[in-house]
Amino acid sequence: MLEVENLYTGYDKKEIIKNINFKVKRGENLCIVGPNGCGKSTLLKSIANILEYKGNVKIDGKEVSEINRLELAKKIGLMSQITQLYFPYTVYDTVSLGRYAYSKGAFVRLSSKDTEIIIDSMKKVGIYELKDKMITELSGGQLQRVFLARVFAQNPDVILLDEPTNHLDFKHQIELLENLDDWVKNNNKIVVGVLHDLNLVQYFADKVLILKDGKEVEYGLPEEVFSGSTLNKVYEMDIKDFMKNILQKWA
């Protein structure tokens, strides 16, 4: 279980995240939604212990700030939004970095089990045929899948994803979310993902956390948190009415 209690964090002594509380059980997907700048990415970084925090972030009862970096890499994998690339690695080499936490040294050759996991991770996201290409030659959507494969290869208990469907076409968005859901359900894992598309949230999420101004607005099942007027207040528009009008155009 992932437990977040009374969590506060931010940058340069300025609090961005304020008193966040939620629990995610193994086998569940949690989606975090909210307007731009509400603290979604900051929350993920604090869960990964990249940012110092006040309060508690626990995995199976262990505080993440008290777990050494190598062991934490076996517990939590974070896939952030793609920024500029500085290293001309092949796809295979990039995905293989996910096995670092399991190696016995920086220059130790990968085991046959490592190789099997790396290949399986690439096949999961449909990039195996790109394994020998340099990542600097890839499109944004292909890169997104490479970094997801690296997280799969890491095989953590919890995957944290910051807008994982960004840069992906519709087909690959659905495939990515289905791969994640299979991984969670078949391996008793946890995914915490930031998503902007509320239709994809409805499709994928077991639980939803709505943030605004760094504060928790609502947390629960998608059908519960989306049923009232919360979304309209958070996004300052009539979300359901907009969705219904769009669907009518497909009729």
Side-chain angles (χ1 to χ4, degrees), residues 165 167-176 197 199-200:
T165 57
H167 300 292
L168 298 181
D169 60 43
F170 190 71
K171 173 179 180 288
H172 286 110
Q173 288 180 29
I174 299 302
E175 286 182 353
L176 181 147
D197 189 326
N199 288 314
L200 292 180

Side-chain angles (χ1 to χ4, degrees), residues 123-137:
K123 288 181 176 178
K124 266 191 178 78
V125 299
I127 58 164
Y128 180 70
E129 69 282 359
L130 302 175
K131 66 183 186 304
D132 297 320
K133 290 198 73 170
M134 308 302 287
I135 63 171
T136 49
E137 301 171 3

Side-chain angles (χ1 to χ4, degrees), residues 169-225:
D169 60 43
F170 190 71
K171 173 179 180 288
H172 286 110
Q173 288 180 29
I174 299 302
E175 286 182 353
L176 181 147
L177 294 178
E178 288 177 346
N179 279 328
L180 284 168
D181 192 55
D182 287 343
W183 180 82
V184 167
K185 301 298 190 286
N186 293 333
N187 299 286
N188 208 27
K189 305 282 193 175
I190 292 170
V191 163
V192 179
V194 170
L195 289 175
H196 277 298
D197 189 326
L198 299 180
N199 288 314
L200 292 180
V201 173
Q202 290 270 31
Y203 178 72
F204 176 64
D206 297 305
K207 297 283 180 63
V208 177
L209 172 67
I210 303 178
L211 297 183
K212 186 175 184 181
D213 299 326
K215 297 178 181 177
E216 178 181 328
V217 178
E218 200 162 345
Y219 171 70
L221 300 172
E223 57 267 27
E224 294 173 349
V225 301

Side-chain angles (χ1 to χ4, degrees), residues 2-250:
L2 172 65
E3 300 173 87
V4 175
E5 299 174 337
N6 306 318
L7 183 68
Y8 292 80
T9 191
Y11 306 92
D12 300 324
K13 298 183 180 180
K14 180 182 178 182
E15 286 182 345
I16 305 296
I17 292 296
K18 306 156 192 173
N19 195 28
I20 300 296
N21 297 270
F22 63 85
K23 295 179 181 179
V24 192
K25 297 177 182 178
R26 287 181 176 270
E28 287 185 338
N29 301 307
L30 168 66
C31 285
I32 303 172
V33 302
N36 289 338
C38 71
K40 300 183 293 293
S41 299
T42 302
L43 176 56
L44 292 187
K45 289 176 182 176
S46 63
I47 295 172
N49 197 33
I50 292 171
L51 290 177
E52 290 187 3
Y53 60 84
K54 292 185 290 185
N56 300 104
V57 180
K58 296 180 179 179
I59 297 178
D60 297 333
K62 296 180 180 179
E63 191 71 39
V64 299
S65 61
E66 297 173 2
I67 303 174
N68 71 60
R69 282 291 171 190
L70 204 59
E71 288 303 309
L72 190 59
K74 298 177 183 178
K75 295 284 185 181
I76 296 178
L78 171 64
M79 192 180 94
S80 299
Q81 296 177 44
I82 294 174
T83 53
Q84 194 170 353
L85 294 171
Y86 297 99
F87 46 94
Y89 291 173
T90 66
V91 168
Y92 183 91
D93 289 339
T94 303
V95 176
S96 70
L97 292 174
R99 299 305 299 164
Y100 172 74
Y102 301 89
S103 66
K104 295 180 180 179
F107 303 104
V108 175
R109 294 183 66 179
L110 295 169
S111 68
S112 57
K113 180 183 176 183
D114 289 325
T115 302
E116 183 180 327
I117 291 170
I118 292 163
I119 290 172
D120 181 64
S121 298
M122 289 190 291
K123 288 181 176 178
K124 266 191 178 78
V125 299
I127 58 164
Y128 180 70
E129 69 282 359
L130 302 175
K131 66 183 186 304
D132 297 320
K133 290 198 73 170
M134 308 302 287
I135 63 171
T136 49
E137 301 171 3
L138 303 181
S139 69
Q142 290 170 329
L143 266 178
Q144 197 84 339
R145 287 185 282 154
V146 170
F147 291 137
L148 180 62
R150 184 176 67 183
V151 176
F152 275 140
Q154 188 177 332
N155 194 32
D157 294 323
V158 180
I159 288 183
L160 306 175
L161 301 170
D162 196 352
E163 298 184 42
T165 57
N166 194 21
H167 300 292
L168 298 181
D169 60 43
F170 190 71
K171 173 179 180 288
H172 286 110
Q173 288 180 29
I174 299 302
E175 286 182 353
L176 181 147
L177 294 178
E178 288 177 346
N179 279 328
L180 284 168
D181 192 55
D182 287 343
W183 180 82
V184 167
K185 301 298 190 286
N186 293 333
N187 299 286
N188 208 27
K189 305 282 193 175
I190 292 170
V191 163
V192 179
V194 170
L195 289 175
H196 277 298
D197 189 326
L198 299 180
N199 288 314
L200 292 180
V201 173
Q202 290 270 31
Y203 178 72
F204 176 64
D206 297 305
K207 297 283 180 63
V208 177
L209 172 67
I210 303 178
L211 297 183
K212 186 175 184 181
D213 299 326
K215 297 178 181 177
E216 178 181 328
V217 178
E218 200 162 345
Y219 171 70
L221 300 172
E223 57 267 27
E224 294 173 349
V225 301
F226 287 169
S227 62
S229 59
T230 301
L231 283 180
N232 295 350
K233 292 176 182 176
V234 168
Y235 288 97
E236 299 179 354
M237 65 174 288
D238 193 329
I239 296 289
K240 287 187 178 179
D241 187 57
F242 175 79
M243 295 293 188
K244 288 176 182 177
N245 288 336
I246 291 296
L247 286 174
Q248 285 176 0
K249 293 180 180 293
W250 289 96

